[in-house]
Amino acid sequence: MIEKAVILKKGKEESLQRFHPWIFSGAIQRIEGKPEEGDVVTVFTNDRKFIARGHVQVGSIAVRVLTFKDEPIDRQFWERRIATAYDLRERTGISSREDNTTYRLVHGEGDNLPGLIIDIYGDTAVMQAHSVGMHVNRMDIAEAVKKCLGDKIKNIYYKSDTTLPYKADINKDNGYIMGGNASNISTEYGLKFHIDWLRGQKTGFFVDQRENRALLEKYAKGRKLLNMFCYTGGFSIYAMRGGAEIVHSVDSSSKAIDLTNANAELNFPGDTRHTAYAEDAFDYLDRMGNNYNLIILDPPAFAKHRDSLRNALIGYRRLNAKAIEKIQPGGILFTFSCSQVVSKENFRTAVFTAAAMAKRNVRILHQLTQPADHPVSIYHPEGEYLKGLVLYVE
Ligand code: SAH
């Protein structure tokens, strides 16, 4: 049998020698053995020296590298990778805390598993494939998760219908690979959340804001808070625990508002400090008064691709200008961007311009990013996507 192989053009192995995990189609001279999308291929330099092994895919990224060692991609491979990922969460204390059952076990390239996301909610793992290769290997990966986490996991839900390339000719149905009788309540730093992995966005919850929510809690005491783009209400619930005087949550999705209300009720039953509104962000910001002194802006990614960068930056500027204009003197603004193509500098410039437009004196208190269970491979800086600024507005 001919090995399925990719032979690079001369000199195109350079980025791989620096362990960058993507091979662009333009770097390829020849493909051997007729691999199909999702197959594992061996990558050779032009003079036929082994350099990597990875999943082949259709598009400008042609191969996503799984290993730079000459090792087989078999069950033991997946077991080692999942065990290494779990080890990081254990050693950083995220998965071992009594008061926390919500964390990301696998963060794609950041865990040397490009195209794979696994989030843990209590005794359920929600698995998401962003590449056909990870979809093809999903059963081995699920077995490895079972083996690594043992009794801690009773259910594995596979959810990839929206994340796989839409043209790929594969069966993308969502469903349980293991178990199915799951309680959907998970704990994050002692607070409880309903997680809707069946119908919710992403894997059901935005795990990446955990540390930033914990920081917000410290600033919440006695404040009047607006949580814009609240989704499941994460920031609102932390603010309530932190002693906020008023908590208003806003999201354009009425499903998100139902979830936020349910989570507020789950943690603080009958608490009248919280109200949620299903409304468009820009409409709400236009009509609201100057009553808030703590505002969170955590919008969805305004730019999914490089060509929408310019419009995205205009969006961030408009949004932040409205909030900075209306926040009370001495107010604190938590503002975020989760667009991968928007750099830290881009985002800061957009917010800087917004401050100047609003003619307020603004200082940066904190610069925020994603937490340790969303690690960034030092060889793949593109993996850093979450950016946040905490601003003090005089
Ligand atoms: N802050 C949340 C995550 C926000 S995700 C958390 O910590 O979990 C982004 C949210 O923005 C989604 O829930 C989406 O429904 C909402 N959204 C998208 N467009 C919107 C708009 N124009 N106005 C208000 N909400 C919007």
Side-chain angles (χ1 to χ4, degrees):
M1 195 180 83
I2 307 175
E3 186 177 27
K4 293 176 182 174
V6 161
I7 322 299
L8 298 177
K9 288 180 185 158
K10 221 171 154 187
K12 289 292 182 192
E13 67 276 15
E14 235 175 59
S15 68
L16 295 167
Q17 283 164 340
R18 283 183 267 111
F19 306 115
H20 193 278
W22 295 344
I23 299 173
F24 291 97
S25 53
I28 294 174
Q29 180 161 77
R30 196 167 73 246
I31 297 176
E32 295 175 357
K34 298 201 173 67
E36 282 176 32
E37 183 166 32
D39 280 351
V40 171
V41 291
T42 303
V43 184
F44 293 100
T45 60
N46 200 256
D47 53 358
R48 209 143 187 134
K49 291 203 178 77
F50 173 90
I51 186 136
R53 192 160 279 135
H55 282 141
V56 77
Q57 62 179 52
V58 175
S60 81
I61 302 174
V63 180
R64 294 172 104 171
V65 172
L66 294 166
T67 180
F68 294 98
K69 278 202 296 203
D70 194 355
E71 60 183 339
I73 308 302
D74 52 12
R75 280 178 70 162
Q76 287 76 29
F77 170 83
W78 299 111
E79 284 171 11
R80 284 195 301 276
R81 279 292 152 89
I82 297 293
T84 304
Y86 185 59
D87 199 41
L88 184 148
R89 278 73 186 167
E90 281 287 287
R91 286 172 194 256
T92 51
I94 297 163
S95 52
S96 52
R97 286 174 62 132
E98 291 268 302
D99 64 349
N100 195 61
T101 62
T102 310
Y103 63 93
R104 177 156 290 191
L105 173 64
V106 173
H107 184 61
E109 281 82 354
D111 284 293
N112 298 314
L113 289 166
L116 181 66
I117 296 294
I118 304 178
D119 286 334
I120 305 293
Y121 301 120
D123 58 11
T124 300
V126 181
M127 223 170 101
Q128 199 159 61
H130 291 251
S131 70
V132 178
M134 289 299 181
H135 173 79
V136 171
N137 291 126
R138 66 194 181 284
M139 290 305 179
D140 281 348
I141 297 167
E143 284 298 326
V145 170
K146 240 194 275 182
K147 189 160 176 188
C148 178
L149 289 154
D151 287 347
K152 294 192 187 92
I153 288 295
K154 300 205 164 46
N155 314 282
I156 299 178
Y157 186 70
Y158 182 66
K159 182 181 186 181
S160 299
D161 62 337
T162 57
T163 55
L164 284 166
Y166 84 106
K167 274 194 188 143
D169 185 19
I170 45 177
N171 177 6
K172 308 184 215 184
D173 281 353
N174 294 339
Y176 285 95
I177 292 182
M178 175 185 151
N181 242 337
S183 147
N184 75 338
I185 293 178
S186 191
T187 308
E188 186 184 85
Y189 285 0
L191 294 166
K192 288 185 235 124
F193 291 95
H194 292 281
I195 318 275
D196 189 357
W197 51 81
L198 299 182
R199 287 168 299 270
Q201 303 172 36
K202 307 267 167 122
T203 63
F205 194 64
F206 285 77
V207 187
D208 56 359
Q209 288 287 23
R210 182 185 56 243
E211 303 303 326
N212 303 331
R213 293 193 268 254
L215 179 67
L216 174 97
E217 183 178 354
K218 295 193 199 160
Y219 285 108
K221 202 169 175 56
R223 290 205 178 247
K224 299 185 181 72
L225 173 138
L226 169 65
N227 180 11
M228 183 53 78
F229 307 99
C230 64
Y231 186 35
T232 54
F235 283 102
S236 303
I237 313 301
Y238 277 73
M240 290 174 85
R241 188 169 65 180
E245 195 180 300
I246 289 175
V247 178
H248 289 168
S249 307
V250 179
D251 199 291
S252 56
S253 146
S254 57
K255 241 173 23 195
I257 292 306
D258 291 346
L259 273 168
T260 297
N261 280 328
N263 286 329
E265 197 54 30
L266 184 64
N267 290 280
F268 303 100
D271 196 321
T272 53
R273 290 176 298 159
H274 180 253
T275 316
Y277 304 93
E279 196 171 331
D280 174 75
F282 287 95
D283 292 349
Y284 189 90
L285 290 167
D286 276 339
R287 78 167 173 88
M288 74 178 194
N290 301 354
N291 303 325
Y292 299 111
N293 56 11
L294 182 55
I295 298 181
I296 300 133
L297 298 175
D298 184 22
F302 281 171
K304 294 242 160 69
H305 302 287
R306 203 147 273 292
D307 42 7
S308 47
L309 180 62
R310 203 174 152 269
N311 282 340
L313 293 176
I314 294 171
Y316 288 119
R317 199 171 68 205
R318 267 184 66 213
L319 188 66
N320 281 278
K322 278 189 199 290
I324 294 172
E325 205 175 285
K326 293 202 171 179
I327 198 167
Q328 284 183 354
I332 294 178
L333 173 66
F334 278 62
T335 182
F336 296 96
S337 163
C338 61
S339 309
Q340 199 170 41
V341 298
V342 174
S343 69
K344 233 187 297 191
E345 291 70 30
N346 284 157
F347 181 58
R348 205 161 141 162
T349 306
V351 176
F352 156 83
T353 314
M357 278 162 69
K359 298 194 173 60
R360 302 282 297 264
N361 191 7
V362 177
R363 279 175 283 172
I364 298 173
L365 303 183
H366 302 272
Q367 304 189 44
L368 307 177
T369 182
Q370 61 217 56
D373 52 343
H374 295 58
V376 181
S377 162
I378 206 155
Y379 308 114
H380 181 256
E382 298 93 324
E384 187 180 350
Y385 68 98
L386 185 62
K387 297 151 290 281
L389 292 169
V390 182
L391 304 175
Y392 183 80
V393 186
E394 271 181 41

